[in-house]
């Protein structure tokens, strides 16, 4: 009887040591995965920082361009269109930068993974805002010719050429609307959207995948 009790106690102690070992190994695995995910997101931080800096510089330049050409309606409208786009990109970059800088890696793994996935999905904002360039591409032509050649192409342009540009803007607007709908979070499982997301938000997706195997430890 004493032998059975000793064997039972020894078995219980062995199980306790095994459980402690598993806990330590799981925690170590979690820390390694978190470090890898944090390192992976480093490049994404640089991208967001670069976007914010470029957006601010571009917005400042376009604001100066508008003030300089305030008396020219064509330049004013073209500059306002580009300024609006620049501001949207800047605000988007600031938002993404904030999301990444406030990412708390000490939270449960499944919560960190969810935050990383949301950061990856936020790339949709960049893609969608970029589509605004399509219908307003003529604004960039107007500003470009004024800056590099000092020519107002609206005033000097042929009527038929201007009409053709307007028609192109309408076609590009239709294309932009179609792509805008395709680049929706509801379509992340579609091949076209998935390819774009994986390409543009690769760091966030890979960081989330680093934590994928640890979900069971967060339960």
């Amino acid at each position: 009887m004493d032998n059975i009790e000793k064997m039972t106690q020894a078995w219980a102690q062995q199980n306790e040591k095994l459980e402690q070992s598993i806990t330590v190994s799981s925690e170590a695995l979690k820390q390694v995965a978190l470090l890898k995910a944090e390192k992976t997101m480093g490049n994404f931080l640089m991208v967001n920082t670069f976007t914010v800096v470029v957006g601010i510089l571009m917005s400042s330049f376009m604001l100066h361009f508008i003030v300089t050409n305030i008396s020219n309606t064509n330049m004013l409208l073209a500059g306002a269109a580009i300024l609006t786009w620049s501001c949207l990109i800047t605000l988007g970059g600031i938002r993404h930068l904030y999301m990444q800088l406030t990412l708390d890696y000490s939270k449960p793994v499944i919560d960190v993974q969810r935050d990383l996935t949301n950061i990856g999905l936020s790339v949709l904002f960049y893609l969608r805002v970029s589509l605004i360039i399509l219908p307003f591409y003529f604004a960039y032509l107007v500003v470009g010719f004024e800056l590099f050649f000092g020519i107002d192409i609206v005033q000097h342009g042929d009527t038929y050429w201007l009409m053709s540009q307007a028609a192109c803007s309408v076609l590009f607007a239709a294309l932009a609307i179609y792509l805008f709908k395709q680049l929706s979070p509801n379509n992340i499982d579609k091949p076209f959207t998935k390819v774009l997301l994986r390409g543009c938000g690769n760091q966030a997706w890979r960081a989330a995948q680093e934590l994928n195997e640890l979900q069971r430890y967060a339960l």
Side-chain angles (χ1 to χ4, degrees):
M1 196 71 181
D2 290 339
N3 290 335
I4 295 177
E5 290 181 358
K6 290 181 179 179
M7 290 178 62
T8 302
Q9 292 176 357
W11 182 260
Q13 291 175 355
Q14 187 67 25
N15 282 340
E16 184 178 354
K17 291 180 179 179
L18 181 60
E19 290 178 356
Q20 291 176 349
S21 177
I22 292 175
T23 301
V24 172
S25 299
S26 300
E27 184 62 28
L29 181 61
K30 174 183 175 182
Q31 292 302 320
V32 170
L34 286 173
L35 287 174
K36 289 174 66 177
E38 189 171 0
K39 183 179 179 180
T40 302
M41 289 298 291
N43 292 333
F44 204 53
L45 181 64
M46 294 176 61
V47 171
N48 285 328
T49 303
F50 178 78
T51 301
V52 172
V53 172
V54 172
I56 291 175
L57 291 175
M58 190 171 180
S59 299
S60 301
F61 177 78
M62 290 315 303
L63 185 60
H64 176 267
F65 178 84
I66 291 173
V67 173
T68 303
N69 297 275
I70 193 70
S71 59
N72 189 322
T73 304
N74 297 329
M75 300 303 155
L76 180 62
L77 294 176
I82 300 177
L83 176 62
T84 301
W85 183 84
S86 303
C87 290
L88 288 175
I89 286 292
T90 304
L91 292 175
I94 292 174
R95 175 175 173 269
H96 299 162
L97 196 59
Y98 175 80
M99 289 174 62
Q100 190 171 352
L101 291 176
T102 57
L103 184 62
D104 186 2
Y105 289 94
S106 66
K107 295 192 300 185
V109 171
I110 195 169
D111 293 334
V112 178
Q113 187 183 36
R114 186 182 302 112
D115 291 340
L116 288 169
T117 302
N118 288 333
I119 292 175
L121 286 174
S122 68
V123 176
L124 282 174
F125 176 84
Y126 284 131
L127 295 173
R128 287 179 138 192
V129 171
S130 297
L131 292 173
I132 298 177
I133 295 176
L134 292 177
F136 293 101
Y137 80 96
F138 190 65
Y140 293 84
L141 290 179
V142 172
V143 173
F145 270 86
E146 175 63 28
L147 289 175
F148 294 108
F149 307 109
I151 299 174
D152 185 343
I153 59 174
V154 177
Q155 290 183 353
H156 295 84
D158 180 80
T159 302
Y160 293 104
W161 180 77
L162 292 175
M163 291 177 62
S164 67
Q165 297 305 309
C168 288
S169 294
V170 173
L171 292 176
F172 283 142
L175 177 62
I177 292 173
Y178 170 77
L179 293 176
F180 192 88
K181 291 181 179 179
Q182 292 298 311
L183 294 174
S184 167
N186 297 327
N187 295 330
I188 58 174
D189 293 328
K190 291 186 177 181
F192 176 72
T193 306
K194 187 178 295 185
V195 168
L196 289 174
L197 285 176
R198 299 287 179 177
C200 298
N202 192 41
Q203 290 85 6
W205 289 109
R206 284 196 290 113
Q209 289 171 358
E210 296 286 357
L211 305 179
N212 188 49
E213 61 183 276
L214 298 177
Q215 284 191 17
R216 61 182 181 275
Y217 299 119
L219 299 178

